Amino acid sequence: MKHDQAVLNRVWSSTLLEELARSGVEHICIAPGSRSTPLTLEAQANKKLTIHTHFDERGLGFFALGLAKATKSKVAVIVTSGTAVANLLPAVAEAGLTRESLILLTSDRPIELVNCGANQAIQQLGIFSQHVEGTLNLPSPSTQVSLNWLLCSLDDLLAQQSAKGGPIHINCPYPEPLYSDESSDIYYDYLSSVSAWKMSDKPYTSKSYRLCETSPNISSSDYNQRRGVVVIGSVALEQAQVAMQFAQSLGWPVFCDAQSGVASDWQHYDLWLQIPELAQQLSDCDCIVQFGERVVSKRLNHWIKQQAKDFSPEQYLVISPDSHCINQDHLPQTHIIAQPNMWLNSQSLPSLHAHHVGWADGLKFVSQSVSQLSRAQLMNDDQLTELSVAVDLSARLKERELFVGNSLMVRLVDMLSAVPSRSVYSNRGASGIDGLIATAAGVLKANQQPMMMLIGDTSLLYDLNSLALLSESQTPMVIVVTNNDGGAIFDLLPVPQQQKQSLYQMPHGYDFEHAAAQFRLQYAAPETLTQYQNVIESHFEQGEGVILVEVKTPPEQASHLLNQFNSMLKEALA
């Protein structure tokens, strides 16, 4: 048999990518590189795969994360060897916590070139540590290793991912040469062992890893006798809506996280839970049913901890499809591993004849008062501030999706906004400020739906080159960047005052007009709330592509206004 290493590299890559496509992978994200040539050329040759490219591996990883969030499917990433692989780690860490199914195809030098001074060769084995669900460290392509082994090993790893979600890592060491004009026909005999697979359209093997945890069946009588609270965390919109119906059937109060995409009559709880007399009205709660996870509000997390610390496990239920631990305070808990709608379908839902219907309805008036006061105090004089942006959010969303950044903005949205049944996306696993633009770009690419994004200035600076991912988009998108010249979140944290500016906030003095021009995006810098509203509505109704709307505010204004508002609120509700 004639031997051509470059052709053999591509035979392995073709086999690998075809099996991924048969297993449900449709999108594959590629960064430039030479060592990854066998994978990139075979990805392009496979008509089942849609290719997305970006020059920056860190941004590419987050773009793939956004695609996976929006499509709820497996998304593959191809990068070359060396630090290109290391740049995927932030997105991998996020996906490991929020369970998006990324498949990392990292090209590598063959083992004999690692740890011996060879160029662009780093130790890639185990580089993602426990952030990945599983790893397949391939040998260099060789006819001494059958394609049958390659397919079986890959299928086993994919089945584990299908059961639990999260990212997986496939390390692919390719010896040189990497380029050849020879046909794969020279390996006809070698390929014959998988000829039946090549003729079919099915995966090579079929494996099923089923979770062993059982879902306890709880009858309606178990709910009807309780004074319960429903918490809706980070779940898909359709799941949040089902959870809301469940709570309404019981007449229990509902605390909806900003990521849930729904709002209830008990909104703004992060503000009024700070008032002891109001929090005391929930002290009779003897059951918490939580759908999803990653609750933004520190006040709500604290209340759950204080309320549930003496519960039995049956009194604090968490329903989430993720099998990893969802219990940051290590409370007695029953974790039911299931999608909310599937679990609720198996229950005998109670009727509105429950014993304690409306037991916390008095707090609805409190939420209404917060809404009225926030509109009266934070949107007066047509002033454009971070707080008025948050209060105004629900009126801007309409039929639009939302991507909310981290740090200060997600907290203001959680406190002051009421998201009206819209899909909400975020990176609240590791809650980093890196890769937010790239993740939103992935969501926009997948859904092709108008989107509004709220992000802080430091977050945008960190991910500036990911604006390139939006340059060619025609779908209307508004990126609102609140520029307070640094990290305003530290105004809300007890950092040392003497070092707060130099070591925490780190003022930068930049604005973003020329950044928008650099990446061929539209730009506006409204000075009043009315101008801000008009710019956004005009773009969504008549424009296309992406506009960057910069809201410039003085440093420390947000914390000052928030403290002022909290004082007014306490007086008004006293």
Side-chain angles (χ1 to χ4, degrees), residues 144-179:
Q144 301 304 305
V145 180
S146 73
L147 294 175
N148 311 71
W149 172 87
L150 176 62
L151 289 166
C152 283
S153 301
L154 176 60
D155 288 345
D156 187 59
L157 186 62
L158 289 172
Q160 294 177 51
Q161 183 183 48
S162 294
K164 297 184 177 181
I168 57 174
H169 178 205
I170 304 170
N171 197 59
C172 309
Y174 294 118
E176 294 183 1
L178 301 171
Y179 308 94

Side-chain angles (χ1 to χ4, degrees), residues 155-206:
D155 288 345
D156 187 59
L157 186 62
L158 289 172
Q160 294 177 51
Q161 183 183 48
S162 294
K164 297 184 177 181
I168 57 174
H169 178 205
I170 304 170
N171 197 59
C172 309
Y174 294 118
E176 294 183 1
L178 301 171
Y179 308 94
S180 174
D181 294 326
E182 283 280 1
S183 165
S184 61
D185 290 344
I186 64 173
Y187 285 104
Y188 178 82
D189 291 340
Y190 177 64
L191 284 161
S192 64
S193 67
V194 293
S195 58
W197 169 79
K198 287 178 69 68
M199 294 294 291
S200 77
D201 59 357
K202 300 287 194 301
Y204 187 71
T205 65
S206 178

Side-chain angles (χ1 to χ4, degrees), residues 77-132:
V77 181
I78 294 174
V79 298
T80 193
S81 64
T83 57
V85 179
N87 273 298
L88 294 176
L89 181 57
V92 173
E94 178 69 21
L97 291 170
T98 53
R99 312 313 286 166
E100 281 81 24
S101 296
L102 299 185
I103 299 172
L104 314 165
L105 300 169
T106 60
S107 307
D108 200 357
R109 262 55 178 174
I111 190 65
E112 63 269 20
L113 293 182
V114 178
N115 293 333
C116 63
N119 183 51
Q120 203 174 323
I122 69 170
Q123 182 54 261
Q124 295 179 194
L125 304 186
I127 192 169
F128 299 121
S129 184
Q130 297 181 44
H131 299 295
V132 291

